[in-house]
Amino acid sequence: MEAGRCKATAEINLLGVRHSFAGTPACQVQEAKEDTARRVLWYLQCPGYETLFEPDVQGVAAVAKEIPTPPSNWVTLSEDDESVQAAERKTAVMRLQNRLQQSFAKKLKPGQGVWEWSYETDARDESWPPLQRATVHVPVAQQSFTGPWKRGQREAQLEACQLLQTFLDSLERPEDTACGASR
């Protein structure tokens, strides 16, 4: 309760990363819970909820040039290199999605997703996890990026993310863009 109004929050752990959601203040508890639930379903791009909200292009995150670096104590893991690398890998996809949303905030239509993922599995491979290749399509940039074959969907996704990261870097430094780069 804040100033006589209810505000519901939800915390969800997705792929090892905690996500916190908050709705807008409401007069009734049920109304506040429903608003927060709709926001979570929109964020997860559940069918029927994709167009409920749109990015606030005037918001701090949308107009920031760079994603701020987290404080030194943002992770409660030990300080060894493996723990830091594991945390970086867990948040790599989320950070790249945020960067895409910032880069194309003015070109995105309300409710439009920033990317679309597809995966191929090598049907001849009998090992586990199977060999997979990820492709990420960025409709607003009219670009697709297909990574190399990797063991497991997460590894394949991270490889495609690296290609997309390189593309975004080239947009920020147009004089460095290489012609005919493999995408």
Side-chain angles (χ1 to χ4, degrees), residues 31-100:
E31 186 182 339
K33 288 180 180 179
E34 289 172 0
D35 179 63
T36 301
R38 280 191 299 273
R39 290 170 186 274
V40 171
L41 293 171
W42 168 80
Y43 178 80
L44 296 174
Q45 297 182 347
C46 292
Y49 293 87
E50 309 96 317
T51 60
L52 286 182
F53 304 98
E54 60 184 74
D56 177 9
V57 295
Q58 300 303 316
V60 174
V63 297
K65 178 73 175 154
E66 295 290 327
I67 297 173
T69 56
S72 60
N73 63 347
W74 76 282
V75 177
T76 58
L77 300 172
S78 65
E79 289 299 319
D80 65 24
D81 285 341
E82 285 184 32
S83 296
V84 172
Q85 287 176 353
E88 288 288 323
R89 288 176 55 79
K90 284 182 177 182
T91 60
V93 176
M94 182 178 61
R95 285 183 286 117
L96 184 57
Q97 183 179 22
N98 289 344
R99 183 174 176 196
L100 267 175

Side-chain angles (χ1 to χ4, degrees), residues 104 137-145 167 183:
F104 296 106
H137 177 66
V138 183
V140 72
Q142 299 178 342
Q143 296 285 331
S144 292
F145 305 89
F167 169 73
R183 290 188 190 127

Side-chain angles (χ1 to χ4, degrees), residues 45 50-51 53 55 107-115 139-140:
Q45 297 182 347
E50 309 96 317
T51 60
F53 304 98
K107 293 183 180 180
L108 287 170
K109 297 175 186 162
Q112 180 182 10
V114 73
W115 58 17
V140 72

Side-chain angles (χ1 to χ4, degrees), residues 148-164:
W149 292 98
K150 288 294 189 179
R151 290 255 169 239
Q153 182 173 322
R154 178 75 175 161
E155 294 301 316
Q157 184 181 42
L158 289 173
E159 290 292 328
C161 281
Q162 287 181 343
L163 296 174
L164 177 53

Side-chain angles (χ1 to χ4, degrees), residues 122-134:
D122 185 346
R124 299 169 305 199
D125 184 38
E126 297 178 5
S127 299
W128 187 259
L131 279 175
Q132 293 193 307
R133 180 167 59 183

